[in-house]
Amino acid sequence: MNEDHYIKKIDRVTSILTQLQTKSVVRAQDLAEKLDVSIRTIYRDIKTLENAGIPIFGEAGSGYSLVDGYKLPPVMFTKEEVLSFITAEKLMQKFSHESLDSHYNSAMEKVKAVIRNSEKDLVMTIENQIDIYSYRPKEQDSIKNIIPTILESIAEKTQIKINYQNVNNEATERTVEAVGIFYEVNYWYVMAFCTMRKDYRQFRVDRILQIKKTENPFHQEYGNVGDYRKKSINQKVRVKLSVEKKIMPHLVNSKKYYGLISEQESDNKMLMTFETEWIEEGFPRWLITFADFAEIIEPEYLKDTMNDLMTKIFNQINKNN
């Protein structure tokens, strides 16, 4: 067998060992799909690890795990992996929720502690050469560890009680079964089954005034958060805008995100039709970025929403004058 074969085998075995360290049970089928090899190859690689003295518990068909209590030396990272960590750290600093920051920073300190000295020099050189520009400052977290609390409730399958303030500043108490969290249009949301509404709802995390884990278990097996987010979007509003053509090149990357379904050209204008579920906040705040080049055709109440938003902005700008 050639040298390339052995290098590939070493890479596979190392990858399998990493998976065994990070998961409680690893199936041969999952490893085969991840590494793009046959299941028989995985069986042989597992045997190689066992022959090297790694105590692996399990068998073909059920899954493998490291014997409880067995400790491996720290994982060493490649130069490319270290560079990806630095970039990810910069993204986390700008876009993560405040309740996650301290935990991520602690994890990154542990990662940096085990990298080789040559990679530590690389970190010091590159850290100041990467930046992420965000135009929306982070808001202060009103509740400590709110997202970890939500994630713990998902892992433990227990209901949580929240005091939630809606867009009209009305507060209600809800008992919910959290499905997952997601980040969208500058805000973090929790997708959950609301026991009061008997339906799926998404709650903006910064509007949760209080949160408390309960001892009440839930038994529903929920799927991926994205699947339930789609199910919850069942009330879309049709919006029609007449937009000057000269501004259209600036909308190329955002118009579909906000629900564009059709465009119709007319003289120097473009009639744009949207179906959006963000009519209360997201869509108006996007529209205001090019409102001087657009006319609202429908719905009529969107004009009132825009007027209220622009009045609020005007008052905010001039409050110290």
Side-chain angles (χ1 to χ4, degrees), residues 78-119:
T78 67
K79 184 184 297 183
E80 291 77 14
E81 288 169 339
V82 172
L83 290 172
S84 72
F85 289 149
I86 300 171
T87 307
E89 184 177 24
K90 294 292 182 177
L91 286 167
M92 285 291 290
Q93 289 169 356
K94 295 293 184 180
F95 294 106
S96 75
H97 193 267
E98 188 179 3
S99 63
L100 299 173
D101 285 350
S102 62
H103 304 291
Y104 183 81
N105 292 337
S106 175
M108 280 303 300
E109 287 175 0
K110 292 175 182 177
V111 169
K112 291 175 182 178
V114 300
I115 61 178
R116 292 185 289 264
N117 287 334
S118 59
E119 268 67 49

Side-chain angles (χ1 to χ4, degrees), residues 178-195:
V179 175
I181 61 172
F182 63 94
Y183 183 83
E184 184 174 72
V185 196
N186 294 323
Y187 292 100
W188 282 96
Y189 294 84
V190 53
M191 174 60 63
F193 180 81
C194 177
T195 59

Side-chain angles (χ1 to χ4, degrees), residues 149-160:
T149 298
I150 294 168
L151 295 177
E152 284 174 13
S153 77
I154 295 171
E156 297 169 3
K157 300 192 70 174
T158 54
Q159 295 178 339
I160 52 176

Side-chain angles (χ1 to χ4, degrees), residues 29 90 103 108 114 121 166 197 215 233 259 281 313:
Q29 181 179 349
K90 294 292 182 177
H103 304 291
M108 280 303 300
V114 300
D121 294 337
N166 65 18
R197 303 296 186 193
E215 299 296 324
I233 299 171
E281 283 205 1
I313 292 171

Side-chain angles (χ1 to χ4, degrees), residues 16-201:
I16 291 171
L17 188 54
T18 300
Q19 292 296 306
L20 288 168
Q21 292 179 82
T22 56
K23 297 180 180 180
S24 56
V25 178
V26 182
R27 297 192 313 154
Q29 181 179 349
D30 296 334
L31 289 171
E33 291 175 0
K34 180 179 178 63
L35 300 174
D36 195 25
V37 294
S38 69
I39 293 179
R40 289 180 62 84
T41 298
I42 297 298
Y43 292 158
R44 289 195 292 268
D45 290 341
I46 291 290
K47 191 65 176 177
T48 298
L49 285 169
E50 291 175 333
N51 291 338
I54 305 298
I56 298 175
F57 175 80
E59 57 185 24
S62 61
Y64 300 98
S65 60
L66 289 174
V67 171
D68 192 34
Y70 178 74
K71 301 294 183 183
L72 287 166
V75 174
M76 301 308 293
F77 300 106
T78 67
K79 184 184 297 183
E80 291 77 14
E81 288 169 339
V82 172
L83 290 172
S84 72
F85 289 149
I86 300 171
T87 307
E89 184 177 24
K90 294 292 182 177
L91 286 167
M92 285 291 290
Q93 289 169 356
K94 295 293 184 180
F95 294 106
S96 75
H97 193 267
E98 188 179 3
S99 63
L100 299 173
D101 285 350
S102 62
H103 304 291
Y104 183 81
N105 292 337
S106 175
M108 280 303 300
E109 287 175 0
K110 292 175 182 177
V111 169
K112 291 175 182 178
V114 300
I115 61 178
R116 292 185 289 264
N117 287 334
S118 59
E119 268 67 49
K120 289 178 183 177
D121 294 337
L122 177 68
V123 169
M124 293 179 63
T125 303
I126 296 298
E127 271 186 323
N128 294 327
Q129 307 309 121
I130 302 173
D131 207 347
I132 308 295
Y133 296 101
S134 172
Y135 298 100
R136 179 180 176 273
K138 281 188 180 182
E139 295 184 358
Q140 291 298 311
D141 195 8
S142 60
I143 304 173
K144 185 179 180 181
N145 280 341
I146 184 168
I147 286 185
T149 298
I150 294 168
L151 295 177
E152 284 174 13
S153 77
I154 295 171
E156 297 169 3
K157 300 192 70 174
T158 54
Q159 295 178 339
I160 52 176
K161 283 187 177 181
I162 61 173
N163 191 294
Y164 186 74
Q165 187 176 55
N166 65 18
V167 69
N168 297 318
N169 294 324
E170 300 166 341
T172 58
E173 188 175 277
R174 310 283 188 97
T175 298
V176 303
E177 298 175 359
V179 175
I181 61 172
F182 63 94
Y183 183 83
E184 184 174 72
V185 196
N186 294 323
Y187 292 100
W188 282 96
Y189 294 84
V190 53
M191 174 60 63
F193 180 81
C194 177
T195 59
M196 181 173 74
R197 303 296 186 193
K198 303 298 181 185
D199 200 359
Y200 298 96
R201 292 288 188 271

Side-chain angles (χ1 to χ4, degrees), residues 62-63 69 96 117 136 138 216 229 264 297 300 311:
S62 61
S96 75
N117 287 334
R136 179 180 176 273
K138 281 188 180 182
N216 305 328
R229 181 184 173 277
Q264 184 178 346
I297 307 299
E300 189 69 22
T311 299

